[in-house]
Amino acid sequence: MFISLSGTSLKNSLTKTLFFGHEPTPELLGILVVYFVQGILGLARLAVSFFLKDELGLSPAEVSALFGIVALPWIVKPLFGFISDGLPILGYRRRPYLILSGILGALSWAGLATIVQTSTAATLALALGSLSVAIGDVIVDSLVVERARAESQGEVGSLQSLCWGTSAFGGLITAYFSGLLLEHFSTRTIFWITASFPLIVSGVAWLIAESPITEKPDLSTVKHQFEQLRKAITQKAIWLPAAFVFIWQATPTADAAFFFFTTNELGFEPEFLGRVRLVTSIASLVGVWVFHRFLKNVSFRVIFGWSTLLSAVLGMSMLLLVTHTNRALGIDDHWFSIGDSLILTVMGQIAYMPVLVLAARLCPPGVEATLFALLMSISNLGGLLSYQLGALLMHLMGITQTNFSNLWILVVIANVSTLLPLPFLGWLPATDATQPSEPAMDTDTNPNKLGQSLLPLMSELVPHSVLQQTAEEPAE
């Protein structure tokens, strides 16, 4: 009896600690594995950046523009949801699409490892990899949204935190090795290694609980879903917060220029950049924990407002590195970069967690997954614009592989522009993250038939306007 009680107590303790109180069912474990794979795909992030810079000879502006194009699959994520809802494969709406996403991902990395020789081919291969992650994300995020809406007031935000934390943990596992391996292997060898990871997603697809669909696809269901979606997005309670998040995300980023600056000007080696990635991965986990532990009951407006102000101020510290003032102060470039990256990553993660909670809370019953994917697509569109504006500024300022004389101006513009959303804080709900912000809708739709296969981005397009990836490479 004592052993039985102790075992039950241990299980409950582990469930509360590791899974934030959620029962670790096979389906939940499958969902978390997908997010974990998104994290470990970071093994190739540095390899991609060095491949574009050194082997293909692209400029900072070209790299930034390329990453903007690669983000396109995240913009049309709701389309993937409609396809999976309306076109089941062999009677299933989820499992086959997870298997497909894994196969596409493996093909994209295998292509980078073998046949890619031009910037156009690299763009296509990376876009295919992005499409792979987006499809898998669409499937598992619908499950997350459905589970999140069933959370009690005390658990709100815990599932999003768990998923983000799992992805961050995956990034943590591979962070340091992303740089270390580049010291010993070619970029193409690392691409071969990475090609095996998406196949894990295909393998765990069978853990998703799903019954086969016997009836033929009903296009009227998709049509009805479009109508419900139209009703939802025409409500100010939904489109005003979405517009705020878009503006918040769309400010220009200097990520690509900083990667070139830290490698070409400061001489940072891949191994050190791997260390920076390790630090920022740990910082991401800290940010998730801080939000879950202390800030999930704080008003959306307060979190966005203060995190934006603090990030803009702290982001200006990069001027010390760009102008080499840190050296005059006796601070080594390496230590300064690590410290700055740590602080800004924690701030960025804390700022982005409310985006996920807000998006989930805005979704009315019946179109949860579809609307959630649409809201996150709007956020991702802002991220794409952020890259393109950054590329334009780099081009206009003459920032190249070797010329960084105007980089300090780009730093100032990128950080000051993050303050632009502040006048629109009133567009956000006045409630905190634990209070549902559900717009009233007259709906009799069956949530088991509509929008079951959608969801938002998680790993690569984090808020660039808040989280400047200082000494790191540009996010894919």
Side-chain angles (χ1 to χ4, degrees):
M1 175 66 73
F2 176 77
I3 295 177
S4 176
L5 290 175
S6 298
T8 302
S9 177
L10 178 61
K11 179 183 177 181
N12 293 336
S13 178
L14 289 176
T15 298
K16 182 177 180 180
T17 303
L18 296 181
F19 297 95
F20 294 171
H22 295 274
E23 183 67 24
T25 62
E27 183 176 66
L28 177 59
L29 293 177
I31 293 172
L32 295 180
V33 166
V34 175
Y35 286 120
F36 178 75
V37 169
Q38 291 180 4
I40 63 176
L41 286 175
L43 180 71
R45 286 183 67 183
L46 279 174
V48 167
S49 297
F50 278 101
F51 178 75
L52 298 177
K53 179 176 78 77
D54 296 334
E55 298 188 37
L56 298 186
L58 302 187
S59 68
E62 289 170 333
V63 170
S64 187
L66 183 150
F67 280 128
I69 295 172
V70 167
L72 283 174
W74 294 101
I75 311 303
V76 295
K77 283 183 62 181
L79 178 62
F80 306 148
F82 287 128
I83 292 174
S84 63
D85 281 341
L87 297 174
I89 300 176
L90 300 178
Y92 292 92
R93 290 189 174 125
R94 294 173 180 169
R95 292 175 185 169
Y97 284 97
L98 275 181
I99 294 172
L100 177 64
S101 72
I103 294 173
L104 291 178
L107 289 175
S108 70
W109 290 109
L112 283 168
T114 54
I115 62 176
V116 171
Q117 302 292 341
T118 66
S119 59
T120 300
T123 302
L124 292 175
L126 289 172
L128 182 62
S130 180
L131 174 64
S132 162
V133 180
I135 292 175
D137 215 32
V138 161
I139 302 302
V140 293
D141 266 4
S142 64
L143 301 173
V144 171
V145 171
E146 292 160 12
R147 285 172 171 264
R149 294 190 66 85
E151 290 180 334
S152 66
Q153 295 297 303
E155 295 177 337
V156 68
S158 62
L159 188 55
Q160 287 93 338
S161 297
L162 178 60
C163 293
W164 265 97
T166 303
S167 179
F169 179 68
L172 176 65
I173 296 298
T174 57
Y176 179 66
F177 293 103
S178 66
L180 181 64
L181 290 178
L182 277 174
E183 301 278 359
H184 303 282
F185 301 100
S186 68
T187 56
R188 293 186 186 272
T189 299
I190 295 176
F191 294 155
W192 269 122
I193 296 173
T194 308
S196 65
F197 297 156
L199 297 178
I200 299 175
V201 174
S202 299
V204 301
W206 304 103
L207 297 178
I208 303 302
E210 182 179 19
S211 300
I213 300 171
T214 55
E215 68 270 16
K216 294 182 179 180
D218 186 1
L219 293 181
S220 64
T221 297
V222 176
K223 181 179 179 181
H224 188 44
Q225 189 176 19
F226 267 112
E227 179 61 22
Q228 290 299 117
L229 191 61
R230 185 193 65 79
K231 290 180 180 179
I233 62 178
T234 54
Q235 299 181 63
K236 290 179 64 176
I238 291 178
W239 68 259
L240 280 180
F244 175 87
V245 171
F246 172 80
I247 297 172
W248 183 66
Q249 286 279 65
T251 55
T253 176
D255 289 348
F258 262 108
F259 174 71
F260 280 78
F261 175 75
T262 55
T263 53
N264 291 356
E265 175 76 10
L266 301 182
F268 289 175
E269 297 295 329
E271 188 274 338
F272 173 73
L273 292 179
R275 271 188 267 166
V276 174
R277 287 211 62 227
L278 176 61
V279 169
T280 54
S281 294
I282 295 173
S284 293
L285 287 173
V286 172
V288 170
W289 179 81
V290 169
F291 173 80
H292 177 73
R293 181 68 177 82
F294 301 107
L295 300 176
K296 66 180 181 180
N297 295 323
V298 178
S299 164
F300 290 117
R301 296 178 183 178
V302 172
I303 292 181
F304 278 111
W306 280 106
S307 63
T308 298
L309 282 172
L310 291 174
S311 296
V313 173
L314 294 173
M316 287 295 186
S317 63
M318 292 312 300
L319 289 174
L320 300 177
L321 189 65
V322 171
T323 60
H324 302 299
T325 304
N326 62 292
R327 297 176 182 176
L329 297 174
I331 306 175
D332 180 74
D333 293 338
H334 296 77
W335 284 109
F336 185 90
S337 297
I338 288 179
D340 214 50
S341 297
L342 190 154
I343 296 172
L344 290 176
T345 300
V346 172
M347 287 299 305
Q349 195 72 61
I350 291 174
Y352 196 58
M353 288 304 300
V355 174
L356 302 178
V357 178
L358 175 63
R361 287 297 174 185
L362 287 175
C363 299
V367 287
E368 298 101 327
T370 307
L371 183 56
F372 188 46
L374 178 61
L375 292 174
M376 297 308 297
S377 292
I378 293 172
S379 172
N380 298 335
L381 179 61
L384 184 152
L385 182 60
S386 172
Y387 273 124
Q388 301 306 323
L389 289 176
L392 177 62
L393 290 175
M394 292 172 208
H395 175 72
L396 294 176
M397 294 179 184
I399 298 174
T400 65
Q401 294 93 325
T402 55
N403 181 13
F404 304 102
S405 58
N406 290 327
L407 182 56
W408 71 272
I409 301 177
L410 180 60
V411 171
V412 173
I413 293 175
N415 281 283
V416 171
S417 65
T418 62
L419 301 176
L420 293 177
L422 291 182
F424 309 107
L425 280 175
W427 292 357
L428 295 174
T431 59
D432 60 58
T434 64
Q435 295 178 333
S437 309
E438 299 182 63
M441 284 191 66
D442 180 17
T443 173
D444 57 359
T445 57
N446 181 356
N448 292 320
K449 295 180 68 176
L450 301 180
Q452 293 291 304
S453 315
L454 297 186
L455 151 131
L457 143 148
M458 278 249 147
S459 50
E460 300 304 317
L461 284 179
V462 291
H464 307 293
S465 56
V466 174
L467 173 55
Q468 295 294 330
Q469 293 180 322
T470 57
E472 273 197 82
E473 74 290 344
E476 284 98 80

